[in-house]
């Protein structure tokens, strides 16, 4: 059966350019993701440094900036004119190659003077900036080029220049945030760094508010130009000044290496590693990426923005993948690598793992191994902790219970198997999954009525962890029988039934199927309000819609549509949900998708948190439900609504965001966020439903 599915998927897509991301012609107006971090095979958790390409702000330089690792830039001088800001350039940057760890682009600071940049985050400690300067005039040209490094968030200390290595050596600090400190996340905070140039015939200079060295271009650009960007008295600029005399048509190359490491390690080893990269053939690194990205299904797109979004979504996901380290014997992911923040850098959680539905096409073994991270950390009693990383087993005890994740585990494992066809993984997943399911239903039904509540730290376990109308206006989640948790458990039981059937466990398959059917009947009877035609949470004590005040639980939230996703709703209930609510523009059918709270509620905020915005993974689940009940056209339109805002933000700031406004071109909270990569799977599904 699986082979037929894989053949069908292959036949669905038309083979187009297999190296899409190696053949770009992208400007700042295109939806391209331009944050870069080390490739999976050369990444390290404790020292990891990524960079955002700043190339779309007219008043800024075309720089590679980081949250707290320092920034890398480039300036030019011809005659008496200095140029480094975007609005000073003759022609703005055009990106020709872009993967999760590298970018190639070109621009013209002056007419007929072409600059080609190849920027590669070689590993978590070292980045390479390869620069070609090409004279496209018919005459000789004299100019100067200034590669510079500055750090605006930390003091650069103990700076010295090593003439035999053409390198600055210095020290600086990073600080873990409070969450990292409290959870004992072991990141390196005291660092030594290298800033190296390939050419010995250069002028070098250091600048800060207290000291000037060199009376020339280095001083001029540092003092007159760059200092306007240095907001801290502690900021420094390290720079190399290189004079160039280019004949007509001549090209000259300069390579910059920027490295850092824990001060506990030998700085000479870092210096040697940086020096060895001066002559590295970077084109071989492009080929490595082309091989990895060649596995992705090739869709024939009519919409060029969607096509670019599709490939860049895979780049985002791949970027967040990390190699085995610490307690993780398999690859795992973090939510974001640049910028990184505490809880987003801890490790995996089930709701983020929905993005493995896309990643499984690109790296089947990697997607399965990410799920194995949960399996290897699973307790004997079946419990899987809330968040799992190389240095984290986050359990969060609350009122005698340990917090787990929302039960999407077996659902995920089954779909990953359908994409990969790996029977060994399916066997492992089934063994782990049934233990998790049994643990969950045994510990989340306090009144033994066959329906579960959210337990332990329920606000975290339920995924919707802040600004939820029912939690904020009515009461703590564990007071209610949970329509969302129970819908998820139906999906879990059905997934286990299908797994057992594939593995030949016929009796077990029937048992899981009966379990799903029993819970489905309870859901349709308990949570459905025939008056308003919607699914709501109910009071655990009497299964009414009243907790403190009459009908105070009748708040229309996105979870009311999950019975469609789980295939629980009757056809009549599904029709009412879609026609009376989902397609109602005053409630859920908003400009950019289905908000987490109905827009007619007083607590609604289209860019709040769980009280209005568009969370892309939930849109994916709703589309699945719509297709199940025959609403393929609605699912298609919903997908387009969601992608509209995602594409707009990629064009605006070149980030993928945690969530998006339901009503305006706006995004919020955390950026470079892995789970928005699920748009790749939405595009695959959209292509499938149209064929």
């Amino acid at each position: 059966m699986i082979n037929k599915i894989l053949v069908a998927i292959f036949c669905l897509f038309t083979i187009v350019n297999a190296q899409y991301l190696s053949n770009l012609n992208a400007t700042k107006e295109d939806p391209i993701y331009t944050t870069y971090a080390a490739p999976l095979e050369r990444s390290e958790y404790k020292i990891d440094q990524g960079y955002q390409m700043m190339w779309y702000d007219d008043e800024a330089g075309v720089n590679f900036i980081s949250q707290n690792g320092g920034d890398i830039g480039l300036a030019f001088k011809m005659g008496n004119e200095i140029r480094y800001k975007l609005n000073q350039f003759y022609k703005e940057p055009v990106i020709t190659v872009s993967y999760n760890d590298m970018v190639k682009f070109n621009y013209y600071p002056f007419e007929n003077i072409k600059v080609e940049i190849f920027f590669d985050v070689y590993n978590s400690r070292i980045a390479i900036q390869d620069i070609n300067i090409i004279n496209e005039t018919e005459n000789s040209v004299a100019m100067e080029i200034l590669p510079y490094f500055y750090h605006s968030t930390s003091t650069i200390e103990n700076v010295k220049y090593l003439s035999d290595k053409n390198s600055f050596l210095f020290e600086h600090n990073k600080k873990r945030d409070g969450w990292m400190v409290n959870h004992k996340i072991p990141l390196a905070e005291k660092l030594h760094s290298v800033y190296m140039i390939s050419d010995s015939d250069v002028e070098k200079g250091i600048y800060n508010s207290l000291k000037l060295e060199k009376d020339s271009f280095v001083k001029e650009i540092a003092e007159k130009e760059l200092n306007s960007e240095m907001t801290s008295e502690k900021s420094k600029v390290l720079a190399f000044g290189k004079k160039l005399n280019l004949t007509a048509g001549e090209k000259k190359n300069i390579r910059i290496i920027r490295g850092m490491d824990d001060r506990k390690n030998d700085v000479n080893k870092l210096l040697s590693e940086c020096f060895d990269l001066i002559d590295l053939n970077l084109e071989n690194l492009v080929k490595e990426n082309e091989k990895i990205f060649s596995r992705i299904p090739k869709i024939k797109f009519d919409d060029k923005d969607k096509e670019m979004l599709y490939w860049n979504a895979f780049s985002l996901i791949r970027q967040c993948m990390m190699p085995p380290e610490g307690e993780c014997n398999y690859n795992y992911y973090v939510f974001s690598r640049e910028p990184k923040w505490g809880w987003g850098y801890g490790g995996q959680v089930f709701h983020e793992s929905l993005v493995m539905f896309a990643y499984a096409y690109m790296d089947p073994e990697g997607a399965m191994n990410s799920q194995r991270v949960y399996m290897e950390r699973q307790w004997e009693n079946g419990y899987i902790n809330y968040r799992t990383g190389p240095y984290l087993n986050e359990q969060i005890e609350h009122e005698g219970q340990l917090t787990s994740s929302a039960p999407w585990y077996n659902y995920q494992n089954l779909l990953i198997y359908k994409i990969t066809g790996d029977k060994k993984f399916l066997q492992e997943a089934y063994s782990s999954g049934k233990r998790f399911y049994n643990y969950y239903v045994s510990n989340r039904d306090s009144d033994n009525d066959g329906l579960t509540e959210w337990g332990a730290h329920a606000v975290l376990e339920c995924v919707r962890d802040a600004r939820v109308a029912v939690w904020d206006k009515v009461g703590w989640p564990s007071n209610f029988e949970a329509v969302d948790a129970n819908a998820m458990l139906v999906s879990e039981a059905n997934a286990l039934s299908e797994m057992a059937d594939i593995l030949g466990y016929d009796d077990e398959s029937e048992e899981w199927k009966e379990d799903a059917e029993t819970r489905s009947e309870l859901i349709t009877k308990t949570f459905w309000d025939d008056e308003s035609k919607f699914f709501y949470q109910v009071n655990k004590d009497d299964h009414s819609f009243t907790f403190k005040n009459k009908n105070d639980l009748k708040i229309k939230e996105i979870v009311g549509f999950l019975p469609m996703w789980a295939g629980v709703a009757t056809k009549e209930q599904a029709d009412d949900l879609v026609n009376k609510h989902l397609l109602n523009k005053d409630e859920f059918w908003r400009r950019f998708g289905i908000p987490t709270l109905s827009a007619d509620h007083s607590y609604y905020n289209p860019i709040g948190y769980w009280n209005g915005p568009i969370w892309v993974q939930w849109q994916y689940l709703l589309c699945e439900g719509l297709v199940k009940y025959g609403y393929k056209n609605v699912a298609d339109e919903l997908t387009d609504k969601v992608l509209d805002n995602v594409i707009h933000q990629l064009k605006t700031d070149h980030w993928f965001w945690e969530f998006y406004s339901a009503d305006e071109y706006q995004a919020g909270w955390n950026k470079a966020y892995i789970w928005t990569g699920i748009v790749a799977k939405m595009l695959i599904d959209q292509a499938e439903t149209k064929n």
Side-chain angles (χ1 to χ4, degrees):
M1 182 182 90
I2 298 302
N3 288 337
K4 291 181 179 179
I5 292 173
L6 294 175
V7 169
I9 290 171
F10 178 80
C11 293
L12 170 64
F13 304 114
T14 302
I15 299 298
V16 292
N17 187 349
Q19 313 299 349
Y20 177 86
L21 292 176
S22 294
N23 294 276
L24 298 172
N25 186 37
T27 72
K28 67 181 183 182
E29 308 299 329
D30 287 310
I32 183 170
Y33 176 63
T34 56
T35 296
Y36 305 96
L40 184 152
E41 61 273 13
R42 293 192 293 275
S43 291
E44 305 168 54
Y45 185 85
K46 297 178 183 180
I47 196 69
D48 192 51
Q49 183 60 62
Y51 299 86
Q52 181 201 7
M53 180 178 168
M54 177 58 67
W55 64 305
Y56 55 88
D57 183 344
D58 285 346
E59 292 297 324
V62 180
N63 298 340
F64 289 91
I65 66 174
S66 68
Q67 183 184 28
N68 52 25
D71 304 338
I72 301 167
L74 198 59
F76 308 89
K77 184 178 182 181
M78 187 178 291
N80 294 319
E81 187 175 4
I82 295 172
R83 295 186 182 182
Y84 76 100
K85 293 182 180 180
L86 188 64
N87 62 12
Q88 297 170 330
F89 288 174
Y90 179 74
K91 285 186 180 179
E92 295 186 352
V94 174
I95 292 177
T96 56
V97 176
S98 180
Y99 291 95
N100 48 285
D101 59 329
M102 65 174 62
V103 61
K104 292 173 69 173
F105 61 100
N106 62 76
Y107 56 85
Y108 289 76
F110 300 96
E111 185 175 6
N112 294 320
I113 301 298
K114 186 177 184 179
V115 178
E116 296 176 335
I117 307 288
F118 191 142
F119 181 81
D120 177 72
V121 187
Y122 179 74
N123 61 31
S124 286
R125 292 172 290 109
I126 300 175
I128 302 169
Q129 187 183 31
D130 192 75
I131 307 161
N132 286 321
I133 312 295
I134 305 166
N135 176 12
E136 294 184 348
T137 73
E138 296 179 355
N139 303 300
S140 295
V141 170
M143 63 178 295
E144 294 179 77
I145 178 173
L146 182 88
Y148 61 86
F149 170 87
Y150 68 90
H151 206 311
S152 58
T153 59
S154 176
T155 304
I156 296 176
E157 300 174 324
N158 300 322
V159 182
K160 58 183 177 180
Y161 189 76
L162 307 178
S163 57
D164 61 326
K165 295 289 186 181
N166 307 323
S167 303
F168 286 106
L169 183 64
F170 57 96
E171 295 177 349
H172 66 102
N173 298 326
K174 291 185 180 182
K175 291 190 68 174
R176 293 176 295 168
D177 62 25
W179 190 95
M180 290 181 176
V181 172
N182 292 337
H183 288 76
K184 298 181 174 59
I185 301 298
L187 298 188
E189 295 182 282
K190 295 183 178 181
L191 305 167
H192 49 225
S193 285
V194 173
Y195 189 57
M196 176 183 292
I197 192 168
S198 59
D199 197 327
S200 60
D201 183 21
V202 293
E203 173 194 355
K204 57 188 181 295
I206 306 170
Y207 168 80
N208 68 8
S209 58
L210 303 176
K211 181 179 180 183
L212 286 171
E213 297 182 358
K214 293 288 182 184
D215 295 322
S216 61
F217 181 35
V218 171
K219 173 182 176 181
E220 185 175 5
I221 187 131
E223 183 177 22
K224 295 182 179 179
E225 301 288 340
L226 295 181
N227 193 45
S228 63
E229 296 180 359
M230 306 294 106
T231 57
S232 170
E233 287 295 310
K234 299 178 180 180
S235 301
K236 273 184 181 173
V237 178
L238 307 178
F240 298 109
K242 173 67 178 176
K243 293 181 178 180
L244 299 173
N245 291 293
L246 300 168
T247 60
E250 186 178 5
K251 176 171 72 175
K252 288 193 176 180
N253 176 264
I254 296 172
R255 183 169 290 190
I256 301 295
I257 310 289
R258 188 272 185 272
M260 68 178 74
D261 202 357
D262 194 317
R263 271 183 241 168
K264 295 176 183 177
N265 299 325
D266 184 1
V267 68
N268 291 314
K269 182 179 179 181
L270 175 64
L271 275 165
S272 178
E273 189 175 355
C274 290
F275 194 77
D276 288 345
L277 295 174
I278 288 292
D279 296 317
L280 178 71
N281 185 339
L282 296 178
E283 292 303 324
N284 289 335
L285 303 182
V286 177
K287 292 175 183 177
E288 290 177 10
N289 277 323
E290 289 177 346
K291 182 178 179 181
I292 294 166
F293 279 71
S294 68
R295 305 165 185 159
I296 298 167
K298 313 303 188 299
I299 302 174
K300 185 177 181 181
F301 286 96
D302 295 326
D303 186 321
K304 294 302 180 184
D305 284 347
K306 282 186 179 181
E307 184 173 24
M308 189 169 285
L309 170 65
Y310 178 70
W311 290 94
N312 280 270
F314 279 107
S315 196
L316 165 72
I317 303 168
R318 179 70 177 180
Q319 184 177 96
C320 292
M321 301 302 297
M322 301 287 284
E325 186 174 342
E327 291 186 60
C328 289
N329 292 310
Y330 301 96
N331 62 217
Y332 62 95
Y333 63 80
V334 294
F335 299 176
S336 167
R337 291 174 68 181
E338 175 58 39
K340 62 169 62 75
W341 63 95
W343 60 265
Y345 201 66
Q348 303 185 165
V349 68
F350 284 165
H351 47 276
E352 256 76 24
S353 288
L354 292 170
V355 81
M356 290 299 108
F357 295 164
Y359 190 62
Y361 292 97
M362 179 185 206
D363 181 5
E365 191 67 25
M368 293 186 291
N369 282 343
S370 177
Q371 295 297 104
R372 287 179 172 122
V373 168
Y374 298 124
M375 297 176 196
E376 70 174 347
R377 218 73 65 87
Q378 187 174 25
W379 291 24
E380 189 173 332
N381 66 359
Y383 170 72
I384 296 176
N385 53 284
Y386 175 67
R387 180 161 30 204
T388 307
Y391 305 100
L392 180 69
N393 293 289
E394 192 174 15
Q395 296 153 11
I396 314 175
E397 184 175 354
H398 183 81
E399 296 185 353
Q401 287 187 327
L402 296 178
T403 306
S404 186
S405 292
W408 275 310
Y409 184 50
N410 292 293
Y411 162 65
Q412 292 169 355
N413 289 334
L414 177 61
L415 185 50
I416 289 170
Y417 163 71
K418 287 182 175 180
I419 295 169
T420 67
D422 191 304
K423 207 76 169 284
K424 182 177 182 291
F425 170 75
L426 184 69
Q427 182 67 67
E428 296 170 4
Y430 180 69
S431 176
S432 173
K434 65 181 182 181
R435 288 190 292 125
F436 172 72
Y437 181 89
N438 288 329
Y439 171 86
Y440 202 90
V441 297
S442 297
N443 288 274
R444 296 296 185 267
D445 184 6
S446 61
D447 53 4
N448 296 311
D449 64 350
L451 291 169
T452 58
E453 316 90 37
W454 292 112
H457 196 297
V459 166
L460 293 177
E461 188 169 282
C462 76
V463 183
R464 299 182 301 136
D465 53 1
R467 300 184 189 172
V468 177
V470 171
W471 311 159
D472 292 355
K473 303 296 182 182
V474 184
W476 183 259
S478 58
N479 290 304
F480 317 124
E481 305 287 11
V483 62
D484 40 356
N486 283 282
M488 292 174 195
L489 287 171
V490 169
S491 177
E492 290 288 275
N494 279 326
L496 286 167
S497 176
E498 192 170 346
M499 288 180 184
D501 182 57
I502 296 168
L503 293 168
Y505 305 143
D506 295 342
D507 290 343
E508 292 184 32
S509 178
E510 283 301 314
E511 290 174 7
W512 295 121
K513 186 177 180 181
E514 290 173 8
D515 197 346
E517 289 174 350
T518 298
R519 191 177 299 275
S520 294
E521 290 177 7
L522 286 172
I523 291 173
T524 56
K525 292 177 181 177
T526 306
F527 300 103
W528 179 256
D529 175 46
D530 202 45
E531 180 183 1
S532 61
K533 309 296 184 184
F534 204 78
F535 287 103
Y536 305 100
Q537 316 284 24
V538 298
N539 189 326
K540 181 175 64 177
D541 295 334
D542 60 8
H543 290 186
S544 73
F545 298 119
T546 297
F547 184 63
K548 294 178 180 177
N549 303 302
K550 186 175 176 58
N551 289 330
D552 54 1
L553 288 170
K554 283 190 178 184
I555 297 176
K556 295 189 289 293
E557 298 181 302
I558 196 169
V559 297
F561 297 108
L562 285 187
M564 285 183 65
W565 160 74
V568 169
T570 66
K571 183 62 169 68
E572 292 76 16
Q573 288 172 338
D575 290 342
D576 284 335
L577 283 171
V578 172
N579 296 311
K580 294 182 181 297
H581 302 290
L582 189 140
L583 292 175
N584 185 336
K585 294 181 180 180
D586 294 327
E587 293 184 10
F588 289 102
W589 196 243
R590 306 301 288 182
R591 183 180 178 188
F592 297 117
I594 307 302
T596 47
L597 176 66
S598 176
D600 62 359
H601 194 282
S602 60
Y603 200 46
Y604 173 77
N605 181 346
I607 197 65
Y609 204 60
W610 285 100
N611 58 333
I614 302 301
W615 295 78
V616 179
Q617 290 217 27
W618 287 67
Q619 308 301 300
Y620 169 78
L621 299 174
L622 296 188
C623 286
E624 273 200 333
L626 288 165
V627 171
K628 282 180 182 177
Y629 287 86
Y631 289 97
K632 291 185 179 181
N633 291 338
V634 177
D636 181 53
E637 190 173 350
L638 175 56
T639 297
D640 285 343
K641 281 175 171 283
V642 175
L643 300 184
D644 186 356
N645 211 348
V646 177
I647 287 170
H648 177 84
Q649 289 305 131
L650 270 180
K651 289 181 175 183
T652 302
D653 53 32
H654 305 282
W655 293 111
F656 285 98
W657 289 84
E658 183 180 13
F659 62 81
Y660 297 80
S661 170
D663 298 336
E664 303 292 339
Y665 278 128
Q666 192 176 355
W669 288 36
N670 297 299
K671 50 197 176 185
Y673 201 103
I674 187 173
W675 84 344
T676 299
I678 195 70
V679 295
K681 176 60 172 167
M682 294 176 75
L683 284 162
I684 290 172
D685 290 352
Q686 187 180 57
E688 184 178 15
T689 58
K690 287 183 175 180
N691 286 271

